[in-house]
Amino acid sequence: LDFTYETNNWGVGLPPSEKNEDNWPLMKPRLENPSFKPAKGHILASLDSFVDILKIRYSSPLFRLSTASDIKQRVRFHNTGPSSVPGVIVMGIEDARDEKPEVAQLDANFSYVVTVFNVCPHEVSMDIPALASMRLELHPVQVNSSDALVGKSVYEAATGRFTVPRRTVSVFVEPRC
């Protein structure tokens, strides 16, 4: 572990032979290739992203549900079924809201959270009608992130359209009034 962030031990040795030895001839040249080695800027960007994720996680108890019952009651996955967009997961987590008084309030700041995982090599836009007309906005941590790409994430309330850049995880929140 290098706290100067000059290196991250990229290419130091090969993976254990038990499951990987057959692939060593493919791996070795890539691990030895200096153009694949992350530079200090890459390492620091990864660190910044990791810190952002931790800040987001601790910004709401909705990200830390502790019982199966809470998860079943609050978590919904959108973008499912035959018309789903490949490479995209859309997860909503609901807190107490006027239309669902049976759900206990856990979060004083947010009534709904939507996380969009886009692993595609291109930007994705998709309409989620069930999430239309909400007051969602990009999470404040991501608005202020050093990652300019995540800041391009957009939610359009009229259609429930989410636009998320390539290979990005965007978190949208509905602030309490």
Side-chain angles (χ1 to χ4, degrees):
L1 188 56
D2 177 13
F3 289 108
T4 68
Y5 307 111
E6 296 293 334
T7 183
N8 68 351
N9 284 325
W10 170 263
V12 176
L14 288 165
S17 63
E18 182 178 308
K19 295 181 181 178
N20 300 288
E21 190 169 15
D22 291 345
N23 292 317
W24 281 359
L26 297 170
M27 294 176 187
K28 189 171 187 213
R30 287 165 180 80
L31 291 170
E32 291 174 342
N33 185 337
S35 70
F36 287 5
K37 183 177 181 177
K40 184 173 185 171
H42 299 122
I43 295 167
L44 290 172
S46 293
L47 175 63
D48 287 347
S49 293
F50 181 71
V51 169
D52 283 353
I53 289 168
L54 288 177
K55 287 178 183 175
I56 290 168
R57 182 175 189 267
Y58 285 100
S59 72
S60 173
L62 297 174
F63 288 116
R64 300 183 313 278
L65 299 175
S66 60
T67 68
S69 175
D70 269 348
I71 293 167
K72 288 177 186 175
Q73 187 177 35
R74 298 170 187 273
V75 178
R76 298 287 174 267
F77 287 92
H78 307 276
N79 188 40
T80 59
S83 62
S84 66
V85 176
V88 180
I89 297 171
V90 181
M91 177 183 70
I93 309 173
E94 185 173 30
D95 201 14
R97 304 171 82 213
D98 293 338
E99 62 272 10
K100 288 232 179 171
E102 71 276 7
V103 177
Q105 181 177 328
L106 298 178
D107 192 324
N109 299 313
F110 306 126
S111 58
Y112 206 92
V113 174
V114 177
T115 305
V116 182
F117 303 82
N118 176 14
V119 300
C120 299
H122 53 83
E123 177 181 278
V124 170
S125 290
M126 60 188 318
D127 293 343
I128 308 288
L131 300 177
S133 301
M134 296 183 78
R135 296 175 297 103
L136 293 167
E137 57 191 48
L138 191 61
H139 194 288
V141 169
Q142 290 186 315
V143 168
N144 297 307
S145 176
S146 63
D147 179 358
L149 196 59
V150 75
K152 295 178 181 179
S153 302
V154 177
Y155 165 74
E156 298 170 34
T159 58
R161 173 168 284 211
F162 293 86
T163 302
V164 176
R166 62 182 167 79
R167 296 189 175 111
T168 299
V169 176
S170 299
V171 178
F172 297 88
V173 294
E174 183 177 64
R176 291 202 181 276
C177 297

